Amino acid sequence: MVEINRRNPKQARARATVDAILEAAFQVLDTYGHAKFTTSRIAKRAGVSIGTLYQYFDDRDAILQELSQRYSDALRERITKLLLEEPELSSVRTVIRAAMQGVEGSPETQLVLSNTIFQTRGGAEVSRQHSAFMDALSTRGEYEFVLGKEASFILTHTVVYLLRATIMEPELELDPQRLEDELVHLMESYIANLAQRAGA
């Protein structure tokens, strides 16, 4: 007798409830800011009871951590999408453009999510972003030389922290296109120098 895999309705409903809570949480964060990011406001926006919310999340920090993880995953998906849809761009520009565009949300929302993921996962998340960046660079074989771990560290961390700094310093009113060009120039110049040294 052939077994047919069926999706458990309870699991499907639970997943839908979690998704609704997280979508509501994002809306609350983006609308009211971190100071008014409360579980009661999230539950009301999601259309669930506060008891239901606490069945899935311990507190607002747990919700924020899950949102941050989704933010990080969405950023990597955007990089992959740009690599596929805009192959004429260099890999460096693709990564930087995707990171600058970020995902949905105001600059404050993106900063809160970015800070949360780095505070809760620390080095582990930096390492994940590092791996995603290096994977993107190697996608089309543009850089055939071997990058040492120190050079790889500089490449990924420079991008990650400079882009976080742009969110934290909106008063500078940096022009996005010029900033993208400068970051690409910085990264590609460094990579070209690495390639030159590797050839030597």
Side-chain angles (χ1 to χ4, degrees), residues 18-195:
V18 168
D19 288 342
I21 291 170
L22 290 173
E23 177 60 31
F26 180 86
Q27 293 173 10
V28 167
L29 179 62
D30 206 44
T31 303
Y32 300 102
H34 187 251
K36 297 182 178 179
F37 185 74
T38 64
T39 52
S40 59
R41 188 172 271 122
I42 293 166
K44 182 177 180 180
R45 178 67 68 96
V48 301
S49 70
I50 194 70
T52 297
L53 183 147
Y54 282 122
Q55 287 178 10
Y56 300 101
F57 297 99
D58 291 336
D59 51 30
R60 75 173 199 154
D61 289 339
I63 297 172
L64 201 53
Q65 288 174 27
E66 181 63 26
L67 274 181
S68 300
Q69 189 62 63
R70 290 191 174 199
Y71 172 89
S72 183
D73 292 341
L75 183 56
R76 284 198 307 282
E77 288 172 9
R78 182 182 287 274
I79 290 172
T80 300
K81 183 178 180 182
L82 278 177
L83 283 169
L84 293 173
E85 294 181 354
E86 301 187 49
E88 71 280 2
L89 295 177
S90 74
S91 292
V92 171
R93 187 174 293 276
T94 300
V95 173
I96 290 174
R97 180 169 295 179
M100 286 184 66
Q101 291 173 351
V103 291
E104 295 180 40
S106 67
E108 180 188 354
T109 296
Q110 293 188 34
L111 182 59
V112 169
L113 295 178
S114 176
N115 284 341
T116 300
I117 198 69
F118 279 91
Q119 288 168 2
T120 57
R121 289 182 55 85
E125 185 57 28
V126 174
S127 295
R128 280 191 354 126
Q129 297 292 359
H130 168 92
S131 297
F133 184 89
M134 299 315 296
D135 287 346
L137 289 183
S138 63
T139 299
R140 293 192 293 268
E142 295 172 47
Y143 311 108
E144 297 177 353
F145 58 94
V146 177
L147 288 169
K149 62 182 180 180
E150 291 80 13
S152 299
F153 172 89
I154 290 171
L155 276 170
T156 56
H157 286 61
T158 298
V159 170
V160 169
Y161 287 104
L162 280 176
L163 290 178
R164 289 187 74 214
T166 65
I167 298 174
M168 296 175 70
E169 301 179 59
E171 68 277 5
L172 295 178
E173 299 182 348
L174 300 174
D175 178 80
Q177 186 56 59
R178 293 183 66 180
L179 179 62
E180 177 186 309
D181 290 342
E182 292 301 322
L183 287 171
V184 170
H185 179 67
L186 175 67
M187 293 295 99
E188 289 187 338
S189 296
Y190 180 62
I191 291 171
N193 182 268
L194 291 172

